[in-house]
Amino acid sequence: QVQLVESGGGLVQAGGSLRLSCVASGRTFSSYTMGWFRQAPGKEREFVAGISRGDGYTYYVDFVKGRFTISRDNAKNTVYLQMNSVKPEDTAVYSCAAHMAWLVSTSTHDYDYWGRGTQVTVSS
């Protein structure tokens, strides 16, 4: 079992920055490929960014490329999402997820463990 706990959300003005953190406990964090997803009110959960186990390959959905950066610190069992130049449409609950495959997946169905999420609200 892996427990995931997100933090770092809050209220930010458009154009500002936030850094989300997701701390994992349980089994070896470095053995997991990690993803960040988000869900806005009335919408389905969607993939934002992922980072693989091993070589740390990163993948981003188009609408955050150049603005968001995913990274991981295996010594701290933590994955981060640095969010820059945020927009009102980035408002959502952001959740991290983990699975043991080597590749990043954009599908919620491929992830085995989920955190509860942290709210990000971007004001215009």
Side-chain angles (χ1 to χ4, degrees), residues 36-98:
W36 281 100
F37 290 77
R38 71 185 188 186
Q39 187 168 22
K43 295 187 177 181
E44 292 189 353
R45 182 176 285 174
E46 61 182 356
F47 174 83
V48 175
I51 186 166
S52 70
R53 58 182 291 187
D55 63 3
Y57 172 82
T58 59
Y59 182 78
Y60 300 90
V61 69
D62 284 347
F63 55 75
V64 304
K65 282 181 181 177
R67 299 191 298 124
F68 293 6
T69 302
I70 188 171
S71 62
R72 66 189 299 160
D73 185 338
N74 290 336
K76 295 183 178 180
N77 285 7
T78 303
V79 61
Y80 303 97
L81 186 69
Q82 178 67 44
M83 306 169 61
N84 298 329
S85 303
V86 295
K87 304 175 181 180
E89 51 264 44
D90 294 322
T91 295
V93 174
Y94 285 72
S95 300
C96 65

